Amino acid sequence: MRLPSVFRRTPFRLTLSFLALFALAASALLLYIYFASRAEAEGRAQAGIQRELDALTAIYRERGADALNAELIDRTSKGGPYLFLLMDRQGQPQTGNVNESPIVGYQGGEQWESFRLSGADAQGRVARRAAMGVQLQLSGGELLFVGEDIGDTEQYLYRLSMVLWGAAGLVFLLGLGGGLLVSRQVEGALGRLNAVVDAARSGDLKPRVAVLNTGDELDELGGNLNAMLDRLEQSMASIRHAGDAIAHDLRSPLTRMRARLEVALIEAEAGRVDGREALALALDETDDLLKTFNAVLSIARLQAASDIPDPEVFDAAELATDMAELYDPAAEDKSLDFQSEIERGLDIRGNRAFLAQALANLIDNALKYTPAGGAVMLRARHRSSGEVEFSVTDTGPGIAVDDRSRVLERFVRLDDSRSESGAGLGLSLVQAVAELHGGRVDIDDGPGVIDGYGPGLRVALVLPVA
């Protein structure tokens, strides 16, 4: 028969394992307490018997057998836990509060033994009570036995052991009940986690785990699962949007390419032209398509990488200087004021080629969307936090605050940029490079209206120091 699920859960099995270890430890502790207490009681009894024996033998040595006999009569008449018996040379009882010596087979000297003593308990019932004693042959040949009834001590130890075992049993039952309760709570929490995972496996990414803000491991797991689902849902939405954007942005160049090839074919068949001009234009369109797909592959490679490929430590100022020199002629051709402010000693760890591509995308976007007569500024500096920042500021139309997070996604092109060439992958590649290097992309307003242009845009690639 299959056990209920609560008994098959790991928390319950761990509880049973803990209780088993507790039972072993408790048993060992209880046995130690029992035997240590028993040894202590027997030690006290033995010391008391020895004192009595020494006192009686001293009386015998100093005043003889008659004085010893009188002392035994006096002591037995007073009562108490001690047992006395004086026997003659033949072992016949003479004086004492026991009828015969419990030590059988006396061999001489001080002979100690533990034994059971018949007597009545507190309720008047006949009981065998624990006792111990010693027998000694006196110098005159008489035999002297001195013992002590330790039945009360044994009863106390028995009651103590029963209390301890009862307490251990109660703790075991409470632990078992607590284990069942904890197991049920964990089963419920894991059941909620599994329900969300099953829904996600079925394609429904909307359910989320209820986080109770208790700060425990299950809350942490639920929060991580929710974050993963948020990221997955965002990725799926981005993929759907990317598909729509690809269809929208690639339909026009593919349509133009087909039309030009068709016209070239018709004119070639008519013998008017050889169609090479149309083929050249189609080849340009093909190059643009290849650039788009290469950009998509680069972003996918960056997002799939677990670490920076081919990392090196270098001065970011050198990279910024090279990019400024590279784009200065392009800015001049478009009648833009292109300036740079570059600090030295900006050591970073990363892939130089990827960072160069990201910085090139930022500058290229600024040059593309800034009207003639505007200004573009490239900066490379240390932030007060110690991070290294590349920033490109322009006096173009800027980006609305609500759209600044969207432009970092793949294939996102704002309506104002549809007339410009491109596939909406420039800033998404910058974002992928930033994430790979442990950095981020910040988008803010530019310098404001300058000579009729603005408010402008400032895009910063922020990286940790090496």
Side-chain angles (χ1 to χ4, degrees):
M1 181 179 65
R2 189 176 179 83
L3 292 174
S5 61
V6 67
F7 294 106
R8 293 183 276 110
R9 298 296 180 184
T10 299
F12 184 75
R13 293 201 299 268
L14 291 176
T15 300
L16 289 182
S17 300
F18 171 75
L19 288 176
L21 291 175
F22 170 78
L24 289 175
S27 298
L29 178 61
L30 293 177
L31 290 174
Y32 170 78
I33 292 174
Y34 176 79
F35 285 110
S37 300
R38 185 181 183 88
E40 176 67 19
E42 290 180 350
R44 288 198 302 269
Q46 186 173 359
I49 294 172
Q50 187 66 53
R51 287 194 301 271
E52 293 292 321
L53 179 64
D54 292 342
L56 294 174
T57 53
I59 292 173
Y60 179 82
R61 286 195 304 271
E62 295 173 1
R63 291 182 287 168
D66 293 338
L68 174 60
N69 189 57
E71 182 67 22
L72 289 176
I73 293 173
D74 180 64
R75 295 195 179 197
T76 54
S77 63
K78 294 178 180 179
Y82 290 103
L83 308 174
F84 303 104
L85 179 62
L86 178 62
M87 297 166 283
D88 59 18
R89 293 180 179 84
Q90 287 73 36
Q92 297 301 314
Q94 290 184 337
T95 306
N97 52 7
V98 292
N99 297 326
E100 60 181 7
S101 173
I103 298 180
V104 181
Y106 175 70
Q107 302 296 324
E110 290 188 7
Q111 183 172 332
W112 291 83
E113 282 192 20
S114 297
F115 53 90
R116 288 285 173 176
L117 183 67
S118 298
D121 59 12
Q123 288 76 29
R125 295 172 300 186
V126 177
R128 302 277 293 175
R129 298 169 58 83
M132 65 181 305
V134 59
Q135 186 167 300
L136 173 68
Q137 187 172 23
L138 301 175
S139 58
E142 297 91 343
L143 298 174
L144 176 62
F145 167 79
V146 180
E148 184 178 355
D149 182 353
I150 58 174
D152 292 340
T153 302
E154 187 178 66
Q155 288 295 322
Y156 168 76
L157 293 175
Y158 175 77
R159 290 192 299 270
L160 175 63
S161 65
M162 290 298 100
V163 170
L164 293 175
W165 283 114
L170 179 61
V171 170
F172 184 86
L173 292 178
L174 291 176
L176 184 62
L180 288 172
L181 179 61
V182 171
S183 183
R184 287 185 64 86
Q185 290 179 342
V186 173
E187 182 182 17
L190 292 179
R192 292 190 292 271
L193 290 173
N194 286 327
V196 174
V197 172
D198 289 339
R201 188 172 56 184
S202 301
D204 184 7
L205 300 179
K206 296 298 183 185
R208 294 293 185 271
V209 180
V211 178
L212 304 178
N213 296 320
T214 58
D216 59 6
E217 294 82 357
L218 292 175
D219 246 18
E220 184 179 356
L221 178 59
N224 290 335
L225 181 59
N226 288 343
M228 182 191 69
L229 290 174
D230 290 340
R231 182 68 180 272
L232 182 60
E233 188 175 19
Q234 182 181 4
S235 298
M236 295 298 293
S238 177
I239 290 173
R240 287 193 294 268
H241 176 74
D244 295 340
I246 289 174
H248 185 279
D249 289 339
L250 299 187
R251 180 174 56 188
S252 295
L254 288 174
T255 301
R256 289 196 302 269
M257 184 190 303
R258 186 185 186 283
R260 287 168 180 166
L261 291 174
E262 186 175 9
V263 170
L265 179 61
I266 294 173
E267 291 183 349
E269 289 177 349
R272 292 191 294 269
V273 296
D274 59 2
R276 283 181 291 182
E277 182 180 354
L279 289 174
L281 292 174
L283 184 60
D284 291 338
E285 296 283 357
T286 304
D287 289 339
D288 290 339
L289 293 175
L290 288 175
K291 288 179 182 178
T292 298
F293 285 111
N294 286 333
V296 172
L297 291 175
S298 297
I299 294 173
R301 178 189 174 192
L302 290 172
Q303 292 178 337
S306 59
D307 196 5
I308 304 172
D310 304 323
E312 59 178 308
V313 177
F314 61 95
D315 188 355
E318 298 176 359
L319 176 60
T321 301
D322 293 342
M323 301 306 296
E325 294 176 356
L326 178 64
Y327 278 91
D328 186 63
E332 185 177 352
D333 292 341
K334 198 175 177 181
S335 301
L336 297 177
D337 181 17
F338 183 77
Q339 301 291 333
S340 62
E341 293 180 0
I342 301 172
E343 293 182 9
R344 297 297 170 183
L346 305 176
D347 290 338
I348 58 175
R349 176 183 179 274
N351 184 290
R352 184 188 292 266
F354 284 149
L355 292 172
Q357 182 63 54
L359 190 55
N361 285 6
L362 294 180
I363 300 174
D364 187 66
N365 279 349
L367 297 181
K368 183 187 299 182
Y369 295 109
T370 302
V376 176
M377 172 65 75
L378 168 65
R379 290 186 177 89
R381 65 185 182 92
H382 271 122
R383 284 194 166 193
S384 58
S385 61
E387 298 169 306
V388 173
E389 174 191 276
F390 296 107
S391 67
V392 178
T393 307
D394 62 58
T395 58
I399 298 176
V401 175
D402 295 338
D403 293 328
R404 289 176 183 174
S405 60
R406 292 181 55 239
V407 296
L408 298 177
E409 301 175 5
R410 285 185 289 181
F411 296 105
V412 172
R413 301 186 68 195
L414 304 180
D415 293 336
D416 295 339
S417 66
R418 290 289 178 183
S419 60
E420 299 289 343
S421 62
L425 294 171
L427 287 179
S428 60
L429 188 141
V430 176
Q431 173 73 3
V433 170
E435 291 179 351
L436 179 65
H437 288 78
R440 65 185 184 277
V441 177
D442 293 338
I443 301 179
D444 303 299
D445 289 326
V449 178
I450 298 179
D451 295 334
Y453 303 112
L457 189 70
R458 178 181 180 275
V459 183
L461 172 60
V462 184
L463 302 172
V465 296

